[in-house]
Amino acid sequence: MHPRAPIRFVFVVSALTPGGTLSVMRQFWSRLEKFGEVSVIAHGSTVDDIGPAVRIVGGRFGGPMRFPAIWIYFVRMAMAVRRASQAAAVDEHRLVILPQDSLATGAAAALAGRLRGHPVYLMEHGSAIAVHSDYYWRHRIQMRRLRDRLSKPLLRGSATLLYRLCARLVTGALVAGRESEVALRAAGMPADRLRRYHFAVETERFRPASAAERLAARAELGLPAARPVIVSVSRLSPEKGIDLILAATARLATEPAPVLVLAGDGPLRDGLERTARATGVDVRFPGALAPDGVARLLRASDLFVYAGRQAANTPYSVLEAMASGLAVVATTEPLVHAEMLADGRGTAIAVDDLDAMTREISRWIDDPTARRRAGRLARRYIEARHAPGVLDSEVARFVSLVTGDER
């Protein structure tokens, strides 16, 4: 095909659902549309407004994390990529395929794409970590039916096999975290096929608040003006460690007593609400918030806390808190938090260390001067590494790499 033929970027994803993966894809879609068409192949979707053209290819008996459905899913997704390749040939487009996980989705896209001669670049969002994590298989993959529990070893073996196939077949990988990079290297992917990129934060929306803006945000949210406000924003599920944040807040001796705001929704919400009532902690549960709602909450806050037990990339919520000028206490899941929160920007602690969590929350709450200084340093860190212009440049370099075009 002519080297100057138009480009079509095809994202391949198991499901389009609200969350970090969709946020990252939206960041890429808006930038890649400057260089060519963007379309999406998905096995399912719970989101109405996507933006790019979406083709849903789901059907009965196929699912990426059940056995033997994982193999039906693999074949179905490979056929969908093959059809996308045929359509591109008819339209005289060059195709660049971007699968969004390194298990069945990545293996299917890589096999079909490479057989048709297209570059396939994996965007690794954490599946490279999950496939080797006992925590993931114990807590994230819940098997209620007996036949599913009995087939779980076969599912894990299948996922591992497909992961290795993906790592060997893809042209390269885009990774946003060190853990993913290490996992893919261990699977046999050469270092020169890995490219790091940085999540972009909307630095205009998420910005430090003035004293007047802080008071106004608290009034809007019904939060007290004179008490410390501790915030966490995440899904209320076991891997997010929200129970640890609640337990640490219950142990604080700070006067006046802080208000804890746990934004988000999930399966643990009812249990967390019962625990909050039993311990007497003043906890607010505003539910899942839109980006503007998150920004308003961060403007009203004094300290951001993240207690994740398993992560491979930087949580957007931590980046948004830092961009908003907040000190952060976060676990070393992912490891990059140790770097991000160094030099006075916050504190990185070990996973499930209740004593450390309690101590660091108390320390930051009791020292407003250090907290404000940490917030200023955190904002500078985001501006240097996660501002929109950083990702603009990284995407432009990626396009030049995969197309060979001089732009």
Side-chain angles (χ1 to χ4, degrees):
M1 187 177 293
H2 193 281
R4 301 301 297 178
I7 309 167
R8 181 173 296 158
F9 301 96
V10 178
F11 285 70
V12 189
V13 60
S14 58
L16 291 164
T17 58
T21 299
L22 182 57
S23 297
V24 173
M25 287 192 290
R26 288 187 191 277
Q27 294 279 359
F28 269 76
W29 293 341
S30 64
R31 288 162 172 83
L32 288 174
E33 284 171 344
K34 301 173 185 176
F35 301 94
E37 295 181 10
V38 177
S39 64
V40 180
I41 296 170
H43 198 256
S45 177
T46 61
V47 182
D48 294 327
D49 181 20
I50 295 298
V54 178
R55 181 166 181 237
I56 304 297
V57 296
R60 296 183 64 194
F61 308 119
M65 296 312 289
R66 287 290 186 271
F67 183 88
I70 188 172
W71 291 102
I72 299 172
Y73 171 89
F74 168 80
V75 172
R76 185 176 291 152
M77 296 302 275
M79 292 175 62
V81 172
R82 184 174 182 274
R83 286 192 291 270
S85 172
Q86 293 170 335
V90 171
D91 298 339
E92 297 188 334
H93 278 70
R94 289 176 291 169
L95 208 62
V96 178
I97 302 168
L98 295 120
Q100 300 298 296
D101 72 63
S102 57
L103 305 180
T105 307
L111 180 62
R114 294 301 292 272
L115 285 175
R116 301 282 297 185
H118 304 300
V120 182
Y121 281 84
L122 168 69
M123 288 191 70
E124 171 47 43
H125 295 281
S127 51
I129 306 304
V131 74
H132 298 302
S133 167
D134 288 335
Y135 181 91
Y136 177 85
W137 290 102
R138 284 198 310 271
H139 298 285
R140 301 289 296 277
I141 300 299
Q142 298 293 322
M143 300 289 191
R144 291 184 173 85
R145 297 182 301 180
L146 176 61
R147 68 180 183 184
D148 287 334
R149 292 198 296 272
L150 292 175
S151 67
K152 196 170 184 178
L154 294 172
L155 172 64
R156 188 168 185 174
S158 298
T160 301
L161 175 62
L162 290 167
Y163 165 69
R164 291 173 179 163
L165 180 66
C166 173
R168 283 162 173 74
L169 287 181
V170 293
T171 312
L174 298 167
V175 294
R178 184 158 53 120
E179 290 92 336
S180 294
E181 186 174 356
V182 170
L184 290 169
R185 288 287 306 277
M189 187 176 292
D192 60 2
R193 287 164 57 194
L194 293 164
R195 295 180 68 86
R196 292 291 294 270
Y197 72 96
H198 297 80
F199 296 164
V201 180
E202 296 178 81
T203 49
E204 292 298 316
R205 171 180 279 157
F206 297 97
R207 55 177 177 76
S210 66
E213 288 173 325
R214 177 174 173 274
L215 288 174
R218 289 194 174 200
E220 289 179 40
L221 297 169
L223 297 171
R227 289 168 59 190
V229 175
I230 303 166
V231 168
S232 182
V233 181
S234 72
R235 178 170 165 76
L236 304 183
S237 52
E239 73 277 7
K240 298 300 184 181
I242 307 300
D243 55 307
L244 189 76
I245 300 173
L246 181 52
T249 305
R251 298 173 70 186
L252 295 176
T254 302
E255 290 294 339
V259 176
L260 175 62
V261 183
L262 300 176
D265 215 338
L268 297 187
R269 177 165 178 168
D270 290 344
L272 290 167
E273 290 181 342
R274 288 193 296 270
T275 301
R277 289 192 294 269
T279 57
V281 178
D282 186 355
V283 186
R284 315 292 172 89
F285 292 89
L289 300 176
D292 283 339
V294 174
R296 182 182 303 110
L297 177 59
L298 295 176
R299 286 197 296 273
S301 305
D302 294 301
L303 181 69
F304 188 88
V305 183
Y306 177 87
R309 294 184 170 108
Q310 182 188 44
N313 296 319
T314 309
Y316 258 106
S317 60
V318 173
L319 296 173
E320 290 166 353
M322 294 178 71
S324 300
L326 294 178
V328 174
V329 176
T331 59
T332 50
E333 282 285 343
L335 289 172
V336 73
H337 283 160
E339 171 198 323
M340 291 169 57
L341 302 178
D343 302 322
R345 293 183 288 268
T347 310
I349 62 172
V351 173
D352 280 328
D353 190 334
L354 179 58
D355 290 339
M357 177 72 77
T358 306
R359 181 181 64 250
E360 292 306 317
I361 291 176
S362 180
R363 180 171 73 87
W364 286 107
I365 288 296
D366 290 341
D367 193 341
T369 300
R371 207 167 60 232
R372 286 190 290 269
R373 180 177 181 275
R376 291 192 296 270
L377 295 172
R379 174 69 183 191
R380 292 176 195 165
Y381 182 93
I382 295 298
E383 288 174 342
R385 294 169 175 80
H386 294 278
V390 175
L391 185 58
D392 290 344
S393 298
E394 291 172 340
V395 170
R397 288 195 294 271
F398 168 70
V399 173
S400 295
L401 169 73
V402 299
T403 65
D405 288 346
E406 295 295 329
R407 293 181 179 272

